[in-house]
């Protein structure tokens, strides 16, 4: 990033735009991350990923106590959480019965 510093004279001879505050780089990075997650979730929903997550959640309900089911459940819950944060897949999650599957477990 190039920074140009020039004092404005009393008679207003400086012509560069004044910058009162600098944008927070961390906030910009976070906004970019949210936008990226939204687009990834949208693609995930388009290829049938939300339906697959709901299907596997329902299967885990019937397989309680099976070895490794808690690890799979942990991953599925993280994916479901990401899907619920994106508007594109939130509706799919509700329509496909994802909330009932989550509440039943």
């Amino acid at each position: 990033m190039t920074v140009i510093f020039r004092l404005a004279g009393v008679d207003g001879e400086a012509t560069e735009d004044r910058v009162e505050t600098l944008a927070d780089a961390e906030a910009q990075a976070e906004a970019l991350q949210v936008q990226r997650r939204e687009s990834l979730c949208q693609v995930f929903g388009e290829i049938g990923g939300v339906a697959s997550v709901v299907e596997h959640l329902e299967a885990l309900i019937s397989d309680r106590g099976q070895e490794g089911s808690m690890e799979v459940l942990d991953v599925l819950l993280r994916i479901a959480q990401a899907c619920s944060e994106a508007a594109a897949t939130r509706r799919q999650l509700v329509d496909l019965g994802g909330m009932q599957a989550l509440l039943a477990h």
Side-chain angles (χ1 to χ4, degrees), residues 23-61:
D24 186 15
E26 188 174 315
Q28 287 179 341
E30 186 175 327
L32 183 61
Q33 184 71 15
V34 168
Q35 184 182 18
R36 177 192 251 167
R37 179 177 265 182
E38 283 273 340
S39 64
L40 287 174
C41 284
Q42 183 176 0
V43 171
F44 186 71
E46 290 172 0
I47 63 172
V50 177
S52 180
V53 167
V54 171
E55 180 182 316
H56 282 87
L57 280 172
E58 291 171 345
L60 275 177
I61 293 169

Coordinates of all heavy atoms in Angstrom, one line a residue, residues 23-61:
A23 N -9.7 2.1 6.6 CA -10.6 0.9 6.8 C -9.8 -0.1 7.6 O -8.6 -0.4 7.4 CB -11.0 0.4 5.4
D24 N -10.6 -0.8 8.5 CA -10.0 -1.8 9.3 C -9.7 -3.1 8.4 O -10.7 -3.6 7.8 CB -11.0 -2.2 10.4 CG -10.4 -3.1 11.4 OD1 -9.2 -3.4 11.4 OD2 -11.2 -3.7 12.2
A25 N -8.5 -3.5 8.3 CA -8.1 -4.6 7.5 C -8.8 -5.9 8.0 O -9.2 -6.8 7.2 CB -6.6 -4.8 7.4
E26 N -8.9 -6.0 9.3 CA -9.5 -7.2 9.8 C -11.0 -7.3 9.5 O -11.5 -8.4 9.2 CB -9.3 -7.3 11.3 CG -9.7 -8.6 12.0 CD -9.4 -8.6 13.5 OE1 -8.3 -8.2 13.8 OE2 -10.3 -9.0 14.2
A27 N -11.7 -6.2 9.5 CA -13.1 -6.2 9.2 C -13.3 -6.5 7.7 O -14.2 -7.2 7.3 CB -13.7 -4.8 9.5
Q28 N -12.4 -6.0 6.9 CA -12.5 -6.3 5.4 C -12.2 -7.8 5.2 O -12.9 -8.4 4.4 CB -11.5 -5.5 4.6 CG -11.9 -4.0 4.5 CD -10.8 -3.2 3.7 OE1 -9.7 -3.7 3.6 NE2 -11.2 -2.1 3.3
A29 N -11.3 -8.4 5.9 CA -11.0 -9.8 5.7 C -12.2 -10.6 6.2 O -12.5 -11.7 5.6 CB -9.7 -10.2 6.5
E30 N -12.8 -10.2 7.3 CA -13.9 -11.0 7.8 C -15.1 -10.9 6.8 O -15.8 -11.9 6.6 CB -14.3 -10.4 9.1 CG -15.4 -11.2 9.8 CD -15.7 -10.7 11.2 OE1 -14.8 -10.3 11.9 OE2 -16.9 -10.8 11.6
A31 N -15.3 -9.7 6.2 CA -16.4 -9.6 5.2 C -16.2 -10.4 4.0 O -17.1 -11.0 3.5 CB -16.5 -8.1 4.9
L32 N -14.9 -10.5 3.6 CA -14.6 -11.3 2.5 C -14.8 -12.8 2.8 O -15.3 -13.6 2.0 CB -13.1 -11.1 2.1 CG -12.6 -11.9 0.9 CD1 -13.4 -11.5 -0.4 CD2 -11.1 -11.6 0.6
Q33 N -14.5 -13.2 4.0 CA -14.7 -14.6 4.5 C -16.1 -14.9 4.5 O -16.5 -16.0 4.1 CB -14.0 -14.8 5.9 CG -14.1 -16.2 6.4 CD -13.1 -17.1 5.6 OE1 -12.2 -16.7 4.9 NE2 -13.4 -18.4 5.8
V34 N -17.0 -14.0 4.9 CA -18.4 -14.3 5.0 C -19.0 -14.4 3.6 O -19.8 -15.3 3.3 CB -19.1 -13.1 5.7 CG1 -20.6 -13.2 5.5 CG2 -18.8 -13.2 7.2
Q35 N -18.5 -13.6 2.7 CA -18.9 -13.6 1.3 C -18.5 -14.9 0.6 O -19.3 -15.6 -0.1 CB -18.4 -12.4 0.5 CG -18.8 -12.4 -0.9 CD -18.2 -11.2 -1.7 OE1 -17.2 -10.7 -1.2 NE2 -18.8 -10.8 -2.8
R36 N -17.3 -15.4 0.9 CA -16.8 -16.6 0.4 C -17.6 -17.8 0.9 O -18.0 -18.7 0.2 CB -15.3 -16.8 0.8 CG -14.8 -18.1 0.3 CD -13.4 -18.3 0.9 NE -12.4 -18.2 -0.1 CZ -11.1 -18.1 0.2 NH1 -10.7 -18.1 1.5 NH2 -10.2 -18.1 -0.7
R37 N -17.9 -17.8 2.2 CA -18.7 -18.9 2.8 C -20.1 -18.9 2.2 O -20.6 -20.0 1.9 CB -18.8 -18.7 4.3 CG -19.6 -19.8 5.0 CD -19.6 -19.6 6.5 NE -18.6 -20.5 7.0 CZ -18.3 -20.6 8.2 NH1 -18.9 -20.0 9.2 NH2 -17.3 -21.4 8.6
E38 N -20.7 -17.7 2.0 CA -22.0 -17.7 1.3 C -22.0 -18.4 0.0 O -22.9 -19.1 -0.4 CB -22.5 -16.2 1.2 CG -23.0 -15.6 2.4 CD -24.5 -15.8 2.7 OE1 -25.2 -16.1 1.7 OE2 -24.9 -15.7 3.8
S39 N -21.0 -18.0 -0.8 CA -20.9 -18.6 -2.2 C -20.7 -20.1 -2.1 O -21.2 -20.9 -2.9 CB -19.9 -17.9 -3.0 OG -18.6 -18.1 -2.5
L40 N -19.8 -20.6 -1.2 CA -19.6 -22.0 -1.1 C -20.8 -22.7 -0.6 O -21.1 -23.8 -1.1 CB -18.4 -22.2 -0.1 CG -17.0 -21.9 -0.6 CD1 -16.0 -22.0 0.6 CD2 -16.6 -22.8 -1.7
C41 N -21.5 -22.2 0.3 CA -22.8 -22.8 0.8 C -23.8 -22.9 -0.3 O -24.6 -23.8 -0.5 CB -23.3 -22.1 2.0 SG -22.4 -22.4 3.5
Q42 N -23.9 -21.8 -1.2 CA -24.8 -21.8 -2.3 C -24.5 -23.0 -3.3 O -25.4 -23.7 -3.7 CB -24.8 -20.5 -3.0 CG -25.8 -20.4 -4.1 CD -25.8 -19.0 -4.8 OE1 -25.0 -18.1 -4.4 NE2 -26.6 -18.8 -5.8
V43 N -23.2 -23.1 -3.6 CA -22.8 -24.2 -4.5 C -23.1 -25.6 -3.8 O -23.6 -26.5 -4.4 CB -21.3 -24.1 -4.8 CG1 -20.9 -25.4 -5.6 CG2 -21.1 -22.9 -5.7
F44 N -22.8 -25.7 -2.5 CA -23.1 -26.9 -1.7 C -24.6 -27.3 -1.8 O -24.9 -28.4 -2.0 CB -22.7 -26.7 -0.3 CG -22.7 -27.9 0.6 CD1 -21.9 -29.0 0.4 CD2 -23.7 -28.0 1.6 CE1 -21.9 -30.1 1.2 CE2 -23.8 -29.1 2.4 CZ -22.9 -30.2 2.2
G45 N -25.4 -26.3 -1.7 CA -26.9 -26.5 -1.8 C -27.3 -26.9 -3.2 O -28.2 -27.8 -3.4
E46 N -26.7 -26.4 -4.2 CA -27.0 -26.6 -5.6 C -26.7 -28.1 -6.0 O -27.3 -28.7 -6.8 CB -26.3 -25.7 -6.5 CG -26.9 -24.3 -6.5 CD -26.1 -23.3 -7.3 OE1 -25.1 -23.6 -7.9 OE2 -26.5 -22.1 -7.3
I47 N -25.6 -28.6 -5.4 CA -25.2 -30.0 -5.8 C -25.8 -31.0 -4.9 O -25.5 -32.2 -5.0 CB -23.6 -30.1 -5.8 CG1 -23.1 -29.9 -4.4 CG2 -23.0 -29.2 -6.8 CD1 -21.6 -30.2 -4.3
G48 N -26.7 -30.7 -4.1 CA -27.4 -31.6 -3.2 C -26.8 -31.9 -1.9 O -27.1 -32.9 -1.3
G49 N -25.8 -31.1 -1.5 CA -25.1 -31.4 -0.3 C -26.0 -31.2 1.0 O -25.8 -32.0 1.9
V50 N -27.0 -30.3 1.0 CA -27.8 -30.1 2.1 C -28.7 -31.3 2.3 O -28.9 -31.8 3.4 CB -28.7 -28.8 2.0 CG1 -29.6 -28.7 3.1 CG2 -27.8 -27.6 1.9
A51 N -29.2 -31.9 1.2 CA -30.1 -33.1 1.3 C -29.3 -34.2 1.8 O -29.8 -35.0 2.6 CB -30.6 -33.4 -0.1
S52 N -28.0 -34.3 1.5 CA -27.2 -35.4 1.9 C -26.9 -35.3 3.4 O -26.9 -36.2 4.2 CB -25.8 -35.4 1.2 OG -25.0 -36.4 1.6
V53 N -26.7 -34.0 3.9 CA -26.4 -33.8 5.3 C -27.6 -34.2 6.1 O -27.5 -34.9 7.2 CB -26.0 -32.3 5.6 CG1 -26.1 -32.0 7.0 CG2 -24.7 -32.0 5.0
V54 N -28.8 -33.8 5.7 CA -30.1 -34.1 6.4 C -30.3 -35.6 6.4 O -30.6 -36.2 7.4 CB -31.3 -33.4 5.7 CG1 -32.6 -33.9 6.3 CG2 -31.2 -31.9 5.9
E55 N -30.0 -36.3 5.3 CA -30.1 -37.7 5.2 C -29.2 -38.4 6.2 O -29.6 -39.4 6.9 CB -29.8 -38.2 3.8 CG -29.9 -39.7 3.5 CD -29.5 -40.0 2.1 OE1 -30.0 -39.3 1.2 OE2 -28.8 -41.0 1.9
H56 N -28.0 -38.0 6.3 CA -27.0 -38.6 7.2 C -27.4 -38.3 8.7 O -27.2 -39.1 9.5 CB -25.6 -38.1 6.9 CG -25.0 -38.8 5.7 ND1 -25.2 -38.4 4.4 CD2 -24.3 -40.0 5.6 CE1 -24.6 -39.2 3.6 NE2 -24.0 -40.2 4.3
L57 N -27.9 -37.1 8.9 CA -28.3 -36.8 10.3 C -29.5 -37.7 10.7 O -29.5 -38.2 11.8 CB -28.8 -35.3 10.4 CG -27.7 -34.3 10.5 CD1 -28.4 -32.9 10.4 CD2 -27.0 -34.4 11.8
E58 N -30.4 -38.0 9.8 CA -31.5 -38.9 10.1 C -31.0 -40.3 10.3 O -31.5 -41.0 11.2 CB -32.6 -38.8 9.0 CG -33.3 -37.5 9.0 CD -34.2 -37.3 7.8 OE1 -34.0 -38.1 6.8 OE2 -35.0 -36.4 7.8
A59 N -30.0 -40.7 9.6 CA -29.4 -42.0 9.7 C -28.7 -42.2 11.0 O -28.8 -43.2 11.7 CB -28.5 -42.3 8.6
L60 N -28.1 -41.1 11.5 CA -27.4 -41.2 12.8 C -28.3 -41.3 13.9 O -27.9 -41.9 15.0 CB -26.5 -39.9 12.9 CG -25.1 -40.0 12.3 CD1 -24.4 -38.6 12.5 CD2 -24.3 -41.1 12.9
I61 N -29.5 -40.8 13.8 CA -30.5 -40.9 14.9 C -30.8 -42.4 15.1 O -30.9 -42.8 16.2 CB -31.8 -40.1 14.5 CG1 -31.5 -38.6 14.5 CG2 -32.9 -40.4 15.5 CD1 -32.6 -37.8 14.0

